[in-house]
Amino acid sequence: MTDTENELDTPVVEPLNDEAGNDAVAATDDAAGADTTLDAEVIPADAPLAPGSDGNGGEIAVAADVLPSRLLLLPLWERPFFPAQALPLLMNDAPWWPTLEQVMERPQRMVGLVLVKPEQADNASPDDFHEVGTIVRVHNLMRSEGKMQFVAQGLRRFRIREWLSTQAPYEAVVEYLDSEDSVNTEEMRAYSVALINTIKELLPHNPLYAEELKFFLNRFNTNDPSPLADFAAAMTTATKEELQEVLDTAPVLARMKKVLVLLKKETEVAKLQSQIREQVEHKLSEQQREFFLKEQLKTIQKELGISKDDRTAESERFRARLEGRTVPEKAMKAIEEQFEKFAVLEPGSPEYAVTRNYLDVLTDLPWGVHSVDQLDLKRARKILDRDHDGLGDVKDRILEFLAVGALKGEVAGSILLLVGPPGVGKTSVGRSVAAALGREFFRLSLGGMRDEAEIKGHRRTYIGAMPGKFIQAIRETGVANPVIMLDEIDKIGASYHGDPASALLEVLDPEQNVDFLDHYLDVRFDLSKVLFVCTANQLDSIPGPLLDRMEVIRLSGYITSEKLAIAKNHLWPRLLERSGIEPKQLKLSDGALEKIIEGYAREAGVRNLEKQLGRIVRKAAVKLVEGDRDGKPIKVSAKTVEEWLGKPGFRNLRPGAGVGVVTGLAWTAMGGATLDVEASRIGKGRGFKLTGRLGEVMKESANIAWSYLSANGSEFGVPEGYFDDATIHLHVPEGATPKDGPSAGVTMASALLSLARNEQPRALAMTGELTLTGQVLAIGGVREKVIAARRVGIDELILPEANRGDFDELPEHIRAGITVHYAQTYADVAKRLFVKKKDAVTG
C-alpha cells in the first residue's frame, strides 16, 4: 500500500488502454500468486492472455490475469458500469475503503461494480444489489478528504451466485457470463453497422461523443460487436434501469437490439437540443447585429451633425421642461449644479444614473404651474347634489368653505377632515370638492403607513431612493395646487422607521408647507396652494397636534329615506350599468328597497346596501342568461326579497321593556346604536355587580349612579334603606362587545331607579353623563344617536340641556317626529321617566 499512499496527492490519470492497464499491475512472486489463486477459477479475461508452454503444449495464465470466482463488491447508484468502459470513479471513503484495501492486496486488483437500487449506496445491503455487474481492474487508487478515487478498467460481466458476507466489505461467489452468440453473423453485422451509423449521427450534435468514440477505438475493434454494444449504451443518457437491463442481457444480438433503441432516443434528444441551441444563437446573433447597426448609425449621425449622444439629448430634454416655468432661485441654482455634474459624468458610472434620475424628477415638477379655481357656488352646489343625496349640512359646510375662497380669490392653506362611519361617502365627497373647484385630484391612503420616508422621501444616498408621496402626487397631477386626499388618516402607524404622523405636521401646517423640504429633492417646494382633504372613522387615534391643524366636518350615518334616495339615484343605476342589464329588464320596487335597507343593511353607511343590491343583480343576470322570458322584465318586490337574499340579518326588535330596563343611546365608529341597560336585585346585603364587558369609564359611571341614588333615592320615591339591604346586578347586553364611554350615567341611574321603585319606565331613550351631585353633563355624537333612535322606532328622547344647540342644528328631516326633553339635573330625568306620554311636555 506504500505506492498507493504516495499517490494521494497526484492528479487523476487519463483512462488506460489494455496495454497500459496490464503494465499498471504490479508483478508478484510465485508464492504470493499461489496463495491468492487458491479459490480462483482459471478463466481468461476478454483480452487474450499471454500464452506460454507448460511442456505439454498447453497454455498457462498469469496470476494477475485470472478472473477470481470469489469477488469483492462495490456499489454504484447513479448508473451501471460496462465492460467496455475505463473511467475514473469517486466514492466515499467510509465504508468502502476497507474493501479497496483488500483489493489492492491481491495481485489481480480486481473488484466487482454492481448497481444498487437506493439513491445512496453508503447504507446498501445485499438485497439492494442487482444480480449482474461488471468486474474491473483498479488503477491509481487515491484517498483524500474523506473521498477515494481510482480508475476502473471494465473487463467482463458477472452474476452473483452466493453472498459470502452480509456487511461491508461485501464478498460473493460469482459466475461470468458468456457473450458469444450463435446467431447469423450477417444479422449481427447489420446491427453493428446500424449502431455505428447512429453513433455517426450523434457526433455532430455533441463534441463529447467524438472524444468518447476516439477513446473507444484506441481500445477495441469496431468489428467486435460485444464491446461496441456496451460502448454505445454507456454513451447514452438513458435511465439507470434501462442501462441495467442492457447489462443484464449477455447475448450480443439481443443486447444490440436494446442498445439501438436507446441510441435512437438519444439521437432524437440531441437533434432537439441542437435545434433549440440554433434558435437561441440565431436570436442572439440578430440582436447583436441590430445592436451593432444601431451603434454604427449613431456614430454616422453624430459625425454628420444630425444626432446627439444620449447625454446631450437627455440634457436638452430636461432643459426643455423648464421653459415657461417659474423656478425659485435656490431651486434653479441646484438644478444648474446638477446639469454641470451631469455633463462630465461617464454614462457607465453609477453616479450618472443617480444624477440623471434626480434631474428627471426636479425638471418634471410643475414649478409655478397652477390650475385656475372655479369658484362658482351654484356650479359647486350642482356638482355636490349630483354626486350625493342627503348630507345637507356637509354640503353647506363645503360651500361656506368655497365662499370664503371666492372672496379671497383662491382656496389655499386649508385642511378639511371628513369624519364618519365607513360607507357614508367620505372619499366621494373629496372627489366632488375637486370637481367643484376644477382641480386635479390625487388620493393617498395612509392606512398602515409606518415609514416617514413615505411622507418626506428617501435620501439619494440609498439605492432605489425616490421622493415622498406628496412630491409624487404633485408630479403626477402636473400642477402645484391639486386636491390631495389623505384617506384613513386615523389608521396611520409608527415603527422604528419613524413616525409618519409627526412628519405630516410639516405637510399640513400652512405656515410650514410653503417651504416643504423633501429628503430626495433637497430643495424647497411650495405646498401651500394644495387643498388637503383627510378622512377618518374616528378622532381618538389622530394625534392632537395634527388634529389641531384640520377643520373637522362630520358625516353621520344615513336614515332610511336618505338610503332609499341614494340607492335609487346612484347605487342601483351603477350596478345595472356594470352588469350590462337594461333598466327595463330588472325592476326593483321602493318597498323592496326599503325592506332591504331595514332588514339587510341597517348600518350607518351604504356599502353593505350596495353589496345586497349587487347580489340581486347577479342572480337576475343568471336568470336572464339561462331562462326564456319572452322579453318580460324581472320584478323584485317586498314580498320576494327573501327569495333573493334569504332571511334578513336584522329584525325589528323593539327596545327592552320592563322593571329595571332602560334604553340608552351610544356612539360607535360604525354610527349610532341603542343600548339597553338592565338592573336586577339578586340578594340581600349591600352589594353591586357589573357585567357586559364594560370599560373603566362605564364602570365609573355605574358606581356614580349607584352612589347617587343610594344617597338621594328618597327624593325619587325609593324605599328607605333599599340600596343598603340589596345586592344589585347591573348588566349591559351583548357581553361579547366591549363598551366604554361617559354618556351612560343617566341611563344606568334610571335603570336602578326603576328597579328600586319596582315600576316600569316609559318607552323612551336617553343619554348623558351623571355626576355625584346629580348634574347632567354634555355628550357627543348627538346626530348619530338621534338617527339610531329613529332606526328602532323611538320618537322620545332625553338629552342633556347643554346639547340643545346640537339638536337644533340637525337637518329638519332628522328632527321631524322626534320629541326631546332636556335635562340639566337628574331630577329633570326622573320626572320624565314614569309619567304618561300624554302628560309629557317638550322641555
Side-chain angles (χ1 to χ4, degrees), residues 12 50-51 83 87 191 236-237 254 287 328 430 449 528 571 586 724 751 815:
V12 178
L87 297 173
Y191 271 100
T236 66
T237 57
Q287 292 176 355
M449 183 178 290
S528 63
L571 303 182
L586 181 58
D724 295 330
R815 290 183 293 144

Side-chain angles (χ1 to χ4, degrees), residues 80-302:
F81 201 93
F82 287 92
Q85 291 181 280
L87 297 173
L89 295 179
L90 183 68
M91 304 183 73
N92 289 331
D93 193 330
W96 308 117
W97 177 251
T99 302
L100 280 176
E101 277 188 319
Q102 295 186 29
V103 169
M104 299 306 291
E105 291 173 357
R106 301 182 181 182
Q108 299 99 329
R109 295 191 176 182
M110 295 179 185
V111 69
L113 300 180
V114 185
L115 182 70
V116 293
K117 298 170 186 175
E119 294 298 326
Q120 293 294 331
D122 291 347
N123 298 321
S125 64
D127 293 337
D128 297 326
F129 283 74
H130 286 272
E131 289 186 359
V132 178
T134 300
I135 183 172
V136 301
R137 179 173 283 116
V138 179
H139 301 287
N140 289 18
L141 176 64
M142 292 181 289
R143 182 185 185 190
S144 177
E145 297 181 356
K147 299 288 183 181
M148 58 183 184
Q149 180 176 289
F150 60 91
V151 177
Q153 176 189 359
L155 300 176
R156 195 166 176 179
R157 284 172 171 77
F158 67 83
R159 187 188 307 276
I160 299 174
R161 295 298 301 274
E162 181 183 354
W163 286 90
L164 300 178
S165 63
T166 57
Q167 58 184 8
Y170 290 119
E171 189 172 12
V173 177
V174 301
E175 64 173 352
Y176 296 92
L177 304 182
D178 191 358
S179 60
E180 294 183 4
D181 226 326
S182 59
V183 298
N184 190 338
T185 56
E186 292 299 327
E187 185 179 5
M188 191 173 297
R189 187 176 297 110
Y191 271 100
S192 297
V193 173
L195 286 175
I196 293 173
N197 290 335
T198 307
I199 293 174
K200 288 180 180 179
E201 290 182 30
L202 275 173
L203 292 180
H205 300 295
N206 193 331
L208 294 178
Y209 294 143
E211 294 296 329
E212 292 184 19
L213 181 61
K214 180 180 178 181
F215 175 67
F216 172 77
L217 294 176
N218 288 336
R219 300 181 63 240
F220 299 100
N221 189 342
T222 55
N223 294 326
D224 189 351
S226 181
L228 177 63
D230 289 342
F231 166 73
M235 68 186 296
T236 66
T237 57
T239 64
K240 67 179 185 179
E241 290 79 11
E242 292 174 329
L243 295 176
Q244 182 62 38
E245 188 177 350
V246 172
L247 186 63
D248 292 342
T249 308
V252 179
L253 185 59
R255 194 191 325 156
M256 294 174 77
K257 290 180 180 179
K258 294 181 178 181
V259 172
L260 187 59
V261 174
L262 298 180
L263 211 54
K264 286 292 185 182
K265 290 182 181 179
E266 192 73 19
T267 304
E268 294 299 324
V269 173
K271 287 181 179 179
L272 182 59
Q273 291 175 342
S274 297
Q275 292 176 2
I276 296 173
R277 184 171 60 251
E278 289 174 0
Q279 292 174 1
V280 173
E281 290 176 352
H282 176 71
K283 289 181 180 179
L284 289 176
S285 62
E286 286 293 326
Q287 292 176 355
Q288 290 174 349
R289 178 174 174 274
E290 183 179 350
F291 173 76
F292 288 131
L293 289 176
K294 285 182 178 180
E295 291 299 316
Q296 290 174 359
L297 180 62
K298 287 181 181 179
T299 304
I300 294 172
Q301 290 176 339
K302 188 174 180 180

Side-chain angles (χ1 to χ4, degrees), residues 361-427:
V361 174
L362 277 176
T363 58
D364 200 29
L365 289 175
W367 300 97
V369 179
H370 301 86
S371 60
V372 180
D373 290 339
Q374 299 182 16
L375 299 174
D376 185 349
L377 294 189
K378 292 183 179 179
R379 176 180 175 275
R381 183 180 291 278
K382 185 177 180 181
I383 292 175
L384 291 172
D385 290 339
R386 179 198 67 191
D387 295 342
H388 300 88
D389 284 294
L391 301 179
D393 54 337
V394 175
K395 294 175 184 177
D396 291 341
R397 291 286 300 275
I398 292 174
L399 290 174
E400 293 168 3
F401 172 76
L402 296 180
V404 174
L407 293 176
K408 292 173 55 181
E410 64 175 356
V411 176
S414 300
I415 300 97
L416 300 180
L417 174 59
L418 305 176
V419 183
V424 295
K426 298 184 294 296
T427 302

Side-chain angles (χ1 to χ4, degrees), residues 290-333:
E290 183 179 350
F291 173 76
F292 288 131
L293 289 176
K294 285 182 178 180
E295 291 299 316
Q296 290 174 359
L297 180 62
K298 287 181 181 179
T299 304
I300 294 172
Q301 290 176 339
K302 188 174 180 180
E303 291 294 329
L304 295 175
I306 60 177
S307 178
K308 307 176 181 65
D309 60 11
D310 292 341
R311 178 166 50 193
T312 304
E314 292 276 18
S315 295
E316 292 185 355
R317 183 165 65 90
F318 293 154
R319 287 189 180 277
R321 290 178 178 175
L322 298 176
E323 294 179 1
R325 297 188 177 179
T326 307
V327 185
E329 181 180 350
K330 292 183 179 180
M332 195 65 205
K333 180 180 178 181

